[in-house]
Amino acid sequence: MYRTEDIDARTEELIRAGRFFFERGWVPATAGNFSARLDERHLVITASGRHKGELAADGFLVVGLEGEVLSPGRKPSAETALHLQLYRREPSLGAVLHTHSLPSTLLSRLSPGGVVLEGYEVLKALPGVDTHEVHLEVPVFPNDQDMPRLAAHVEAYMREHPGLHGYLIEGHGLYTWGHTVAEARRHVEAFEFLFECEWEMRRLKR
């Protein structure tokens, strides 16, 4: 069972991540949502409508893996179902981070079949990638306001494509994850840099 100290530690990590992401323009307005696992059955997640660059302890709530809200008076992110799908799928997962950068949002609109990343050294920041010569496909899922239905779509894709590091939602941004908040944050940094490179490459080729 999780302890108060666990909530405090995870929320502090997520608060720091939110400030870092906001400074880089990756979570404008109230966009984005973050979560971290507390134990086998519970996670802490950002509350709905909170500015991610100005998060405090009251900007989070505890949720069970079946979606039950355990922090009265606080409303979870509308996209909680997407987080829960990932935690239920992978018991070793420790954090899920969602950002809304300009490059990832634009690429998701222009690449409905998915974004292919290859030839970049920074790809090696992702798990299991040890060469720039890898061909990494980042799927793009159509946006859907029915989050359980979108989560089911993601789950079906992941069953067919194991080893996924992250995905995009069209016009919506990036979802990525890690065994710890620090690892998930590193994956966000890597993906966002790669998306900036890909966007700039496409712009220069026009």
Side-chain angles (χ1 to χ4, degrees):
M1 183 66 179
Y2 63 88
R3 303 167 299 169
T4 300
E5 305 94 276
D6 298 324
I7 299 175
D8 293 343
R10 299 293 82 76
T11 55
E12 182 55 35
E13 287 185 284
L14 295 173
I15 287 169
R16 290 198 299 268
R19 290 172 181 161
F20 178 80
F21 296 162
F22 176 69
E23 289 171 0
R24 283 152 182 77
W26 298 343
V27 283
T30 60
N33 42 72
F34 316 141
S35 67
R37 188 187 291 274
L38 296 172
D39 62 19
E40 293 84 357
R41 302 296 303 168
H42 303 91
L43 58 127
V44 61
I45 189 167
T46 43
S48 178
R50 300 301 179 99
H51 192 295
K52 305 311 177 298
E54 301 173 354
L55 288 169
D58 65 355
F60 296 87
L61 64 155
V62 176
V63 175
L65 276 193
E66 299 308 315
E68 62 275 26
V69 176
L70 303 176
S71 300
R74 299 182 193 175
K75 180 182 177 182
S77 165
E79 294 164 42
T80 298
L82 298 178
H83 291 249
L84 295 175
Q85 177 266 326
L86 291 164
Y87 289 112
R88 288 196 291 257
R89 159 167 275 276
E90 181 48 69
S92 68
L93 203 65
V96 177
L97 303 175
H98 169 43
T99 52
H100 275 246
S101 74
L102 181 65
S104 68
T105 303
L106 292 173
L107 286 171
S108 72
R109 294 290 303 277
L110 296 174
S111 312
V115 177
V116 175
L117 301 170
E118 55 188 347
Y120 298 110
E121 187 71 10
V122 173
L123 282 163
K124 290 162 62 176
L126 300 173
V129 179
D130 57 8
T131 174
H132 67 284
E133 296 179 334
V134 71
H135 178 96
L136 185 73
E137 295 188 21
V138 182
V140 176
F141 296 101
N143 202 358
D144 191 338
Q145 299 307 306
D146 185 329
M147 290 303 155
R149 181 169 60 196
L150 179 54
H153 189 183
V154 173
E155 174 65 24
Y157 182 92
M158 292 182 77
R159 281 198 299 267
E160 297 295 323
H161 302 83
L164 193 67
H165 301 302
Y167 63 81
L168 292 166
I169 301 173
E170 187 176 356
H172 196 142
L174 168 71
Y175 266 87
T176 189
W177 46 86
H179 293 100
T180 64
V181 174
E183 184 179 62
R185 175 172 161 168
R186 185 175 72 247
H187 297 165
V188 169
E189 290 185 65
F191 272 120
E192 293 294 3
F193 173 80
L194 292 163
F195 292 147
E196 285 185 39
C197 288
E198 193 64 22
W199 177 251
E200 189 66 10
M201 286 286 287
R202 295 189 186 194
R203 188 183 69 82
L204 291 171
K205 288 179 179 177
R206 290 177 185 171

